[in-house]
Amino acid sequence: DTEVTQTPKHLVMGMTNKKSLKCEQHMGHRAMYWYKQKAKKPPELMFVYSYEKLSINESVPSRFSPECPNSSLLNLHLHALQPEDSALYLCASSQDRGQATGELFFGEGSRLTVL
Amino acid sequence: AQTVTQSQPEMSVQEAETVTLSCTYDTSESDYYLFWYKQPPSRQMILVIRQEAYKQQNATENRFSVNFQKAAKSFSLKISDSQLGDAAMYFCAYRSANSGNTPLVFGKGTRLSVIA
């Protein structure tokens, strides 16, 4: 299994809603990542989890709240978002350094629209 | 901080022809990886090819090959016998090998069109 699975694929929410994006991998990877991608732009790093602990937060607004309940699952909780937060949210995972081929494995992304 | 530069926002190639996408990077590290990822309109980021910095030999994957010039900090991608399915956004990316959780640093991307 070399897949990273993201749900939902599409999400439309109002500015007062609370929703969550989910990411799952069963490759035994211990690092997981959230990236945000606007149209025709490269992905921008948001968060990195390593061994279920938050290791990097790229000064992301608190209306985005990540969570890593276990080594296979990564969530991104969304609350009080703004229309400019509409984007493709990509999840990725990677191997431990000792086993690493170096690459990040990406999911298909969750397309978020904030009305 | 590491940076990745792709100077060609858009490229086009005739089907069956060869095209080269350019990438330069800046780093003070000695141990790192370089990648080319492809993102078609279906939006999933797909690994095309990887290069470990310590390897002098250029990586090759079927029709895809790289020209890795470590001293010049250059990492170009050559696509031979281009196919319609190669049309996509291509991102060059850098990753430090210092730990297991370092993120990718992406260039701005090159949109490749393939003309039938």
Side-chain angles (χ1 to χ4, degrees):
Chain A
D1 184 0
T2 57
E3 284 191 346
V4 175
T5 304
Q6 290 188 243
T7 54
K9 288 185 168 39
H10 299 274
L11 178 63
V12 180
M13 60 186 292
M15 289 190 285
T16 58
N17 292 156
K18 287 186 180 180
K19 297 286 185 182
S20 297
L21 306 180
K22 178 180 172 182
C23 174
E24 201 162 4
Q25 58 87 13
H26 297 287
M27 295 179 279
H29 293 175
R30 302 312 296 266
M32 296 185 76
Y33 310 77
W34 280 115
Y35 282 87
K36 173 184 177 179
Q37 187 179 25
K38 301 285 270 186
K40 300 184 179 180
K41 298 290 187 182
E44 297 175 0
L45 182 68
M46 300 176 72
F47 303 103
V48 180
Y49 272 83
S50 178
Y51 288 85
E52 297 143 55
K53 295 189 186 307
L54 183 65
S55 61
I56 297 176
N57 176 343
E58 290 288 291
S59 302
V60 178
S62 60
R63 58 186 184 267
F64 295 92
S65 176
E67 178 195 23
C68 190
N70 59 59
S71 60
S72 300
L73 187 57
L74 184 66
N75 298 319
L76 186 63
H77 302 298
L78 315 171
H79 174 53
L81 294 192
Q82 304 297 310
E84 59 264 30
D85 296 322
S86 298
L88 180 68
Y89 289 83
L90 292 166
C91 175
S93 67
S94 66
Q95 296 167 307
D96 289 341
R97 183 185 178 199
Q99 310 158 329
T101 57
E103 71 198 80
L104 269 60
F105 294 76
F106 284 87
E108 293 187 9
S110 293
R111 175 80 61 193
L112 174 66
T113 302
V114 182
L115 301 177
Chain B
Q2 297 82 25
T3 59
V4 177
T5 301
Q6 293 178 250
S7 58
Q8 306 153 315
E10 296 184 356
M11 294 280 285
S12 62
V13 63
Q14 293 279 351
E15 200 175 3
E17 296 296 309
T18 296
V19 64
T20 298
L21 308 184
S22 301
C23 174
T24 59
Y25 61 96
D26 191 25
T27 184
S28 58
E29 297 178 326
S30 59
D31 194 12
Y32 53 88
Y33 304 95
L34 295 165
F35 305 92
W36 281 96
Y37 278 87
K38 167 185 176 182
Q39 189 177 36
S42 64
R43 79 197 188 195
Q44 184 164 17
M45 200 74 77
I46 301 165
L47 178 68
V48 175
I49 199 164
R50 83 167 64 79
Q51 176 82 43
E52 290 93 336
Y54 69 87
K55 290 186 177 178
Q56 292 188 341
Q57 187 173 4
N58 289 324
T60 299
E61 287 287 341
N62 300 315
R63 298 183 294 107
F64 299 87
S65 62
V66 297
N67 183 3
F68 174 45
Q69 300 290 327
K70 190 172 183 179
K73 296 180 181 173
S74 171
F75 183 62
S76 60
L77 174 70
K78 185 170 81 171
I79 306 174
S80 303
D81 186 25
S82 297
Q83 301 175 359
L84 294 177
D86 295 333
M89 181 72 89
Y90 286 81
F91 291 100
C92 180
Y94 170 100
R95 185 175 186 225
S96 172
N98 289 335
S99 73
N101 64 348
T102 55
L104 288 171
V105 177
F106 288 95
K108 291 187 175 182
T110 297
R111 182 166 299 281
L112 178 66
S113 301
V114 180
I115 303 164

